[in-house]
Amino acid sequence: MARNINFVHKIPLSPRIKPPLFFSFCCSSQSQFQTENVGDKSPNLLDRERDEQIRKLRVLLQQNRTDTAHRLLLSLVQKKSVFSSPSDLFSLFSLSVPSLKPAFSSILLSVCCEAKMLSEATQVYDLIRNEGMLPSLPSIKLFLELMVGSKQFDKTLNLFEEIVASGFRPHSFVYGKAVQAAVKLGDLKRANELVDDMKRRGLSPDVFIYNVLIGGLCKERNMRDAGKKFEEMCKRKVLANRVTYNTLIDGYCKVGDVEEAFKVRERMKEENVEPNIVTLNSLLASLCRVGRMGEAKSVVHEMEACGFMPDGFTYSILFDGHSRCGDSEGAIALYEEAVRKGVMINNYTASILLNSLCKVGKVEKAEEVLKQLMENGFVPNEVIYNTIVNGYCRRGTMSRAIETIEAMEVRGLKPNGITFNSLISKFCEMREMDEAEDWARKMEEKGVVRNVETNNILIDGYGRLCLFDKCFQILEGMENSGVKPNVVSYGSLIHSLSKDGKVLEAEILLRDMVGRGILPNAQIYNMLIDGCCMMGRLKDAFRFLDEMVGSEIDPTLVTYNALIHGLCKLGRVTEAEDLFLQIKNRGLIPDVITYNSLISAYSNAGIVQKCLDLYETMKEIGITPTLNTYHPLISRCGKEGMAVVERLFDEMLKMGLAPDRVVYNALIHCYVEHGDVQKAFALHNEMVNQGIHPDKMTYNSLIMGQFKEGRLAEVRNVVSDMKGKGLVPKADTYNILVKGHCELKDFGAAFAWYREMFENGFLPNVCICDELSAGLRQQGKFQEADIVCLEMTAKGMDDLNGK
């Protein structure tokens, strides 16, 4: 509340004919200061009451009793009175006591601001300015604070500019409010310009202004500049307070830079700035977000040491952390601890806990916890029941999900769109579209609107089944029922069409979407580009890229990854490398998918060293390889020797990646090629023990291994095992068998495999046929050689390519 008013008397200004334009919005507003039952009083009585109030104010101001005058004005403003509005009061007082007008006007403006009467304060300010005056600094401060508090940010800046233009020397507080308004508008450039202007006028930004700037930068996730602003603040000897540190810590936490957040916390300790619950909860949340639960416990201990008892919100952060780690047991132990400590668990905290259990399939345990909570007086809401319903839907236990909805209704809670959409979505995922449609009908029967999300789920469900006519029917039905399709509606269908190779139909849908005023986003173009790349239509893919850029939609990493993968599939590695450079030039960071595509392409091209160079680069810059990284590396690097292959395999295991069938097959093939057949069979046994079923490639390598060892009897055992697993030999396996026996001069057995191959509809290649027939003749088996020649001639030698 303003006291000790510093009056600013009349300033020579050009006369004003009308009030400032930016305040004109208030002039037509109805005053809340309207007189009640004034019409019941005679005009003479009303005039006498008004005169009496003005007389009191005049006497108080003449005696310099500004506090009492302030209280009287506040009562006149806040209660119904004989004055129709503060503007009416201003006009009457100005006419009665013109000499006290400057003092009175500043107090009146302050009072309107304290009463949070924005329209009335604005009208009073306009009247003051029309009189060629400026209010006092304290009243201007209050007015600016009210403007910012009422989110009138543009008008705050206009007011600031008008004050400066009037020759008034702004105080740092006034600058602070202008900076705050600019930051709230997201105009950090203007905010910094205001600070620079402030410095030119010899005013130093205070901690409030720095906090506002740092907060704006943190909101934009620009932590580099936020850190610089903090350092500038320290150099100018402006003491950072708890708000400064909390803002920085929260900013670093939200961008995932946990280490930097803790550095700020250490600096906070060095400067003896005490943390509060906000500080520690931010640090706790950042650790839980990345699953560092051990360190999170240390923060909880620090919290307790500082005298802050962890509350329901703190526990919700911890529950979320355990959920991210998939540690349902840890979440349950934490819940039991909270109950022992008497922590009040509200619906928000309970929903986080129950969701963490439902995510790992422990829905029954979630229901048990809910029952315990309800026994202690907890009243669940729709969100809690929706969590349980969704949990059962995730697990596919649809009968229990439906039972939960029934229980929900028994308690008087009405299932909503989220409830029904969980069921409909799961039935679509299970490809049970009749059930999905049935629940969409029940949803409407229960008075719940079938919204755009419900329709989008159904479009996606039918799209996955390639039932595109149904998708178009739903889109048409949405239009007819007044539910406007959105970008997701079209995106789901465009995605399904593109995945099914119907890129032309997807493009037609894109044009229809644009024609209806729904603008495509990067995701829509990415779907089309990926579909084109999948079909090998790179020209169309790049056409969509050009269209995307022309529409001022920035290509994303997904865009570039799709194009790079498409180019690599066609062996156009040089062009893929050019796009790889464009990624960096656009400020994007290549990821594991980018590198995997390039490694695979160079592997197919036989350029092993380039594969290894890319692999080492991705590790150096902190990109964790995946199994798809090791597939082409292990397959191709066998030519470099087993030492390289074994090093790669060892590094893969150290990263916690379990070998799959592709890796085992590559390793088995490498060991066979390098003559270590025993190791190849050991890996085969390990593969089987891990529950990974060998395929045709596995057996082909094992057969080659037995031939290398000269174990002809074992060859037939491997083939028998292969057939026993339901794997029928085809041309590639038979070619290995025929060629293997030929190389060991066992032409009789080679002929037997040739006959089985021929009878099963497969043909050996020309070279193997030549080798087989020549070998049979050498061993005097002319009849068998003639059979091979006759059968091959009958088929035509040009067709002898194998199947």
Side-chain angles (χ1 to χ4, degrees), residues 535-572:
M535 298 296 293
R537 293 167 55 177
L538 271 296
K539 185 177 178 181
D540 287 329
F542 279 97
R543 176 169 58 83
F544 281 123
L545 175 65
D546 291 340
E547 184 179 317
M548 185 179 184
V549 174
S551 301
E552 297 185 352
I553 299 171
D554 290 331
T556 66
L557 183 60
V558 175
T559 319
Y560 285 108
N561 279 347
L563 290 165
I564 287 170
H565 183 67
L567 289 167
C568 287
K569 272 174 65 180
L570 297 178
R572 293 159 62 176

Side-chain angles (χ1 to χ4, degrees), residues 157-222:
L157 289 167
N158 290 340
L159 172 60
F160 172 82
E161 287 173 1
E162 184 177 329
I163 291 169
V164 173
S166 299
F168 183 83
R169 187 174 184 274
H171 184 270
S172 60
F173 178 90
V174 177
Y175 266 107
K177 287 298 161 186
V179 170
Q180 187 179 13
V183 169
K184 289 287 186 182
L185 289 169
D187 193 347
L188 287 172
K189 181 182 176 184
R190 190 171 183 184
N192 280 300
E193 286 171 354
L194 285 165
V195 173
D196 291 340
D197 184 60
M198 184 180 182
K199 292 173 185 174
R200 281 193 296 272
R201 290 173 180 266
L203 294 171
S204 295
D206 58 14
V207 67
F208 173 81
I209 291 175
Y210 275 111
N211 285 349
V212 168
L213 288 171
I214 290 168
L217 290 164
C218 289
K219 188 177 180 182
E220 290 193 351
R221 304 172 77 86
N222 184 355

Side-chain angles (χ1 to χ4, degrees), residues 17 111 124 211 227 287 299 429 435 601 670 689 702 783:
I17 296 172
V111 162
V124 170
N211 285 349
L287 290 168
V299 173
E429 186 186 315
E435 284 288 342
C670 285
N689 292 336
L702 294 174
Q783 186 178 355

Side-chain angles (χ1 to χ4, degrees), residues 316-569:
S316 69
I317 293 170
L318 292 165
F319 289 145
D320 183 60
H322 285 294
S323 173
R324 289 172 186 272
C325 296
D327 183 9
S328 58
E329 296 302 323
I332 293 166
L334 195 66
Y335 159 70
E336 291 169 352
E337 176 192 303
V339 170
R340 284 196 306 272
K341 290 182 175 179
V343 175
M344 290 296 294
I345 294 179
N346 59 20
N347 273 285
Y348 173 75
T349 308
S351 67
I352 299 290
L353 168 62
L354 298 177
N355 187 52
S356 71
L357 296 171
C358 291
K359 270 176 71 176
V360 293
K362 294 191 175 181
V363 195
E364 287 82 4
K365 184 63 182 178
E367 287 208 277
E368 183 186 320
V369 169
L370 177 57
K371 185 180 177 183
Q372 290 173 3
L373 286 167
M374 289 167 67
E375 287 170 356
N376 291 321
F378 177 77
V379 180
N381 59 12
E382 289 87 349
V383 175
I384 296 295
Y385 277 102
N386 284 347
T387 302
I388 303 293
V389 170
N390 188 254
Y392 280 123
C393 287
R394 278 182 187 172
R395 207 173 67 182
T397 317
M398 304 309 289
S399 58
R400 293 296 300 272
I402 294 165
E403 287 170 14
T404 305
I405 293 174
E406 292 167 354
M408 181 180 183
E409 291 177 308
V410 167
R411 291 192 63 83
L413 296 171
K414 187 178 178 182
N416 55 26
I418 295 170
T419 322
F420 289 108
N421 284 344
S422 291
L423 283 174
I424 295 166
S425 179
K426 187 61 183 183
F427 280 123
C428 286
E429 186 186 315
M430 295 164 69
R431 297 174 169 241
E432 295 182 17
M433 297 308 298
D434 289 341
E435 284 288 342
E437 288 280 12
D438 188 42
W439 276 97
R441 282 191 293 272
K442 287 180 183 177
M443 175 181 181
E444 292 178 309
E445 287 167 8
K446 289 183 180 287
V448 180
V449 176
R450 179 167 157 166
N451 58 18
V452 67
E453 186 181 351
T454 313
N455 288 297
N456 289 350
I457 291 167
L458 290 167
I459 289 170
D460 188 60
Y462 283 117
R464 288 173 187 274
L465 295 173
C466 298
L467 299 172
F468 300 119
D469 286 344
K470 292 290 291 183
C471 297
F472 284 107
Q473 285 173 20
I474 294 169
L475 275 175
E476 187 178 348
M478 289 171 76
E479 294 279 4
N480 294 337
S481 62
V483 179
K484 188 177 179 181
N486 59 17
V487 70
V488 177
S489 317
Y490 283 97
S492 293
L493 186 46
I494 286 171
H495 176 73
S496 297
L497 288 166
S498 299
K499 284 289 181 188
D500 196 45
K502 293 181 169 59
V503 183
L504 178 60
E505 290 86 342
E507 183 174 357
I508 292 169
L509 189 59
L510 170 71
R511 304 304 168 210
D512 179 64
M513 170 185 172
V514 173
R516 293 174 185 271
I518 301 169
L519 297 178
N521 54 22
Q523 287 73 27
I524 297 286
Y525 279 108
N526 288 346
M527 293 167 190
L528 290 161
I529 288 168
D530 187 57
C532 290
C533 291
M534 187 177 68
M535 298 296 293
R537 293 167 55 177
L538 271 296
K539 185 177 178 181
D540 287 329
F542 279 97
R543 176 169 58 83
F544 281 123
L545 175 65
D546 291 340
E547 184 179 317
M548 185 179 184
V549 174
S551 301
E552 297 185 352
I553 299 171
D554 290 331
T556 66
L557 183 60
V558 175
T559 319
Y560 285 108
N561 279 347
L563 290 165
I564 287 170
H565 183 67
L567 289 167
C568 287
K569 272 174 65 180

Side-chain angles (χ1 to χ4, degrees), residues 76-134:
L76 291 173
V77 165
Q78 289 181 324
K79 298 175 183 177
K80 307 295 181 184
S81 77
V82 291
F83 300 102
S84 63
S85 69
S87 299
D88 178 36
L89 178 53
F90 177 90
S91 299
L92 289 171
F93 188 92
S94 298
L95 288 170
S96 302
V97 199
S99 62
L100 293 174
K101 194 185 335 181
F104 172 77
S105 61
S106 287
I107 297 175
L108 182 59
L109 179 59
S110 297
V111 162
C112 290
C113 292
E114 289 169 15
K116 309 296 182 192
M117 298 166 66
L118 178 61
S119 296
E120 287 77 4
T122 304
Q123 289 168 5
V124 170
Y125 175 82
D126 282 349
L127 288 169
I128 294 170
R129 297 292 288 116
N130 284 338
E131 293 288 335
M133 300 183 296
L134 269 175

